[in-house]
Amino acid sequence: MINVQEIFGSMVFNDAVMRQKLPKETYKLLRRTIDEGTELDISAANIIANAMKDWAIEKGATHFTHWFQPMTGITAEKHDSFITPIDDGAVIMEFSGKELIKGEPDASSFPSGGLRATFEARGYTAWDPTSYAFIKDDTLCIPTAFCSYGGEALDKKTPLLRSMEAVSRQAVRVLKLFGTNTAKVISTVGPEQEYFLVDKKLYEQRRDLVITGRTLFGAKPPKGQELDDHYFGTIKPRVKAFMADLNEELWKLGIFAKTEHNEAAPAQHELAPIFTTTNLATDHNQLTMEIMKKVASRHGLVCLLHEKPFAGVNGSGKHNNWSLSTKEGVNLLEPGDTPRDNAQFLTFLAAVIAAVDDHQDLLRVSVASAGNDHRLGGYEAPPAIISMFLGDELTEILASVVYDTDYDQQKKAVMEIGVDVLPKFPKDTTDRNRTSPFAFTGNKFEFRSLGSSNSVSGPNITLNTIVADELSVIADKLEAAVAAGEDFNKAVSAVIKETINAHKRIIYNGDGYSKEWLDEAARRGLLNLRTTPDALPYFTSESNLAMYERHGVFSKTEMFSRNEIHYECYCKVVNIDALTMIDMVNKDIIPAVMKYIHVVSETAAAAGSLGVDISVERELAAKLSDKLTGLYGALKTLEASNAKCREIDEYSEQAFFIRDDMIPAMNAVRGYVDELEVMVGKEYWCFPTYSELLYSI
Ligand code: ADP
Ligand code: MG
């Protein structure tokens, strides 16, 4: 039995450890740096580095690394040992404040989206003291931001920290008007992570899984998820053992792993941590994904984080639960107990509604990837259309605010902002709609469109910034009203009415999977950006460039470079898929089918020589040969399409060619292969089938 309290955070240089290991003065200085962002002088940094090193060595560490999140979407680390030679050929273990604060990894092999052309190739990593250092694989990991020498962000952490500051700045302004004085507002996130587990031996027999993380072929198994017998089902022993091991690893790293259960598809599971500050939640989610893979391997399993490992069964997503709270921990999206609290709640709610409506495009872009294109709009995940679910109760209240209508049929009550107290909405009544991309769930919003492998950084940079932008508009209006001596309640009421009225088209409480919604959304003028290439051009629109710049989150150059990386990544992923497909068809599938045709023909010849009926062999051989001819033709089309695609220089152009030409060609190849799989004898087929992969554990 493990003692959870004892191991929790045991590998983290957290506040308790800092307090214990640092001189009082240094601890105070560091705390100020963490809380207020003050600069740390080098002598304090030296003391902290030394204490970190001693603590890490005690725990068995030999190396340190600046741990960062380049635009690849995964984390990066370059290990250095603590050793420093001394005169007599021996070594001492050293770690300086300079090494803690700044590192200089060679930036040239990380995606920079053209920034390298204009700026220096070198980049540097800078310590993020708001995320605690931790030990992983005998290495002291220092969470860092990664920038170019020109100061441009080359990573996913820098803009996230900037966006947290942006939303804090504007939220503090609004709160001040309501008489809530706080120094800082913090955005909080709890990401629910879905994943698949498959047997490692079977996985290794499938090059598509090994290379692309998903199956490129595979006929639908006789049993998929139609019986709904996996969701919340009993967890199998091998999976249970994996989960126990995973929890232990995560707890040691101070990650609040909390909820685990089976998901809708066979072999699919979910892990949810308790929410925390967005910055930490992001770091923790990156670590969680990495450790899931590592622990799975120890159990003879492979953890698949691809958005769509298997066609025909649900893919994996990530639910990004998001809210804002004051530094003191008061959740700003929690309807309050007093009229003043409620007016404040409705103001923040109005800001989020306006933000989602005004920036549907940016939210959509933030979840766009080749992998997620297989899920969104596929009746298993929210549609590509961004809308918002508020639940009937809250929607009625908003209607009452805007139109002065009764919100409570029984009591015939009209909601008056700043005077009335909102009824409490039980969480249950608001949390039932699973088809909405963006749902209010009682005291937070749940952004459900993320793909499972998505870093949560992008979606939260977006959320924080767009909400900051709307809050700043509201703050401007209210500050002006106050300066003009207007009645505050009246001013708030007017601003909320005006905002809701202008943006109510984004609210939709119905079935997001339905055909009616597609039509209705079009009527409302909402965007339906079905694929990644459809979405990406919106990122760099004039108004989006201006907004990100206004809040100091991205410069224009950073935005263009990021968009370039997005396009590049999309094109590369699909090209790898296509090349793997071509390779498997040539090397495995065609030979397997030919072999089987040969067996069938030989059987026919042998049986024929006895004069028995060979109509079955004849028909089977003819059908197989027919499909094989079809497959070969489709393969040639795909090969030609792929060759043409790679001749297109600009990724932004390539992406559209991929969408319109190469993906349809890939689908055609798959169609033939899946038909052939069903016809070819088991022992002749070249890799494990869906049934084997999904039901082997
Ligand atoms: P479900 O969405 O499955 O009903 P929960 O209500 O348990 O699940 O919440 C899911 C996630 O939302 C958890 O990670 C939880 O910690 C997180 N969460 C709860 N409150 C907040 C908040 N104020 N800010 C951000 N995330 C939150
Ligand atoms: Mg949820």
Side-chain angles (χ1 to χ4, degrees), residues 385-436:
I385 306 161
I386 300 288
S387 69
M388 216 168 170
F389 170 87
L390 292 181
D392 293 337
E393 271 175 290
L394 193 52
T395 307
E396 244 177 68
I397 286 164
L398 292 183
S400 143
V401 167
V402 175
Y403 304 117
D404 292 330
T405 52
D406 299 342
Y407 78 87
D408 186 327
Q409 288 308 315
Q410 272 116 43
K411 290 198 214 126
K412 296 264 175 222
V414 174
M415 188 52 212
E416 227 179 291
I417 295 163
V419 180
D420 285 330
V421 179
L422 285 181
K424 282 272 178 212
F425 333 100
K427 193 168 170 276
D428 268 7
T429 62
T430 57
D431 197 21
R432 289 297 161 231
N433 188 315
R434 295 266 158 200
T435 64
S436 174

Side-chain angles (χ1 to χ4, degrees), residues 308-323:
K308 194 72 181 174
F310 305 99
V313 295
N314 275 8
S316 300
K318 182 142 52 191
H319 290 173
N320 189 83
N321 295 275
W322 174 93
S323 189

Side-chain angles (χ1 to χ4, degrees), residues 170-366:
Q170 303 306 331
V172 165
R173 274 178 75 196
V174 171
L175 287 176
K176 196 164 170 212
L177 290 157
F178 282 92
T180 310
N181 284 310
T182 184
K184 196 157 122 184
V185 165
I186 296 161
S187 73
T188 52
V189 165
E192 301 164 58
Q193 176 74 49
E194 291 182 341
Y195 61 97
F196 277 87
L197 288 177
V198 295
D199 187 272
K200 200 175 183 177
K201 286 205 192 71
L202 297 174
Y203 164 90
E204 281 163 355
Q205 293 168 47
R206 294 213 44 147
R207 272 212 307 295
D208 47 1
L209 278 180
V210 173
I211 295 172
T212 70
R214 72 176 178 116
T215 55
L216 298 169
F217 308 103
K220 208 176 156 341
K223 178 175 184 272
Q225 61 191 62
E226 45 282 280
L227 296 180
D228 287 326
D229 52 354
H230 193 256
Y231 192 57
F232 285 14
T234 321
I235 300 173
K236 293 184 186 140
R238 205 165 154 202
V239 176
K240 186 84 204 140
F242 157 82
M243 286 178 173
D245 206 357
L246 173 64
N247 282 336
E248 189 176 333
E249 294 267 338
L250 296 177
W251 288 334
K252 281 187 196 162
L253 289 172
I255 297 171
F256 304 106
K258 173 85 175 166
T259 313
E260 55 199 19
H261 59 80
N262 287 354
E263 257 303 325
Q268 194 184 29
H269 311 278
E270 182 184 297
L271 175 83
I274 298 169
F275 73 97
T276 178
T277 348
T278 304
N279 179 30
L280 264 188
T282 307
D283 286 358
H284 284 177
N285 184 249
Q286 293 296 128
L287 278 172
T288 301
M289 292 194 285
E290 179 187 328
I291 292 167
M292 276 176 164
K293 292 194 166 184
K294 199 171 77 182
V295 171
S297 179
R298 288 210 289 263
H299 290 257
L301 299 167
V302 173
C303 172
L304 302 176
L305 289 170
H306 194 284
E307 281 75 18
K308 194 72 181 174
F310 305 99
V313 295
N314 275 8
S316 300
K318 182 142 52 191
H319 290 173
N320 189 83
N321 295 275
W322 174 93
S323 189
L324 293 173
S325 85
T326 62
K327 186 167 170 266
E328 293 73 27
V330 178
N331 184 351
L332 299 174
L333 293 177
E334 177 96 50
D337 294 323
T338 65
R340 192 201 62 106
D341 282 352
N342 283 320
Q344 188 184 294
F345 161 74
L346 288 175
T347 306
F348 278 89
L349 182 71
V352 180
I353 293 170
V356 175
D357 184 34
D358 277 338
H359 305 287
Q360 300 156 44
D361 55 349
L362 287 175
L363 287 168
R364 176 65 186 89
V365 169
S366 78

Side-chain angles (χ1 to χ4, degrees), residues 134-191:
F134 56 91
I135 297 171
K136 180 170 68 76
D137 299 329
D138 295 336
T139 301
L140 171 67
C141 300
I142 319 284
T144 54
F146 179 42
C147 298
S148 78
Y149 261 90
E152 275 76 20
L154 292 173
D155 70 345
K156 302 204 171 207
K157 185 189 268 280
T158 309
L160 183 66
L161 292 171
R162 293 175 184 161
S163 76
M164 289 173 72
E165 278 171 31
V167 75
S168 174
R169 244 185 332 263
Q170 303 306 331
V172 165
R173 274 178 75 196
V174 171
L175 287 176
K176 196 164 170 212
L177 290 157
F178 282 92
T180 310
N181 284 310
T182 184
K184 196 157 122 184
V185 165
I186 296 161
S187 73
T188 52
V189 165

Side-chain angles (χ1 to χ4, degrees), residues 65-79 105 110 125 136 141-142 144 146 286 290:
T65 182
H66 275 198
W67 182 79
F68 59 104
Q69 298 169 33
M71 294 301 295
T72 51
I74 51 175
T75 57
E77 43 195 79
K78 184 187 94 187
H79 298 182
F110 291 108
T125 48
K136 180 170 68 76
C141 300
I142 319 284
T144 54
F146 179 42
Q286 293 296 128
E290 179 187 328

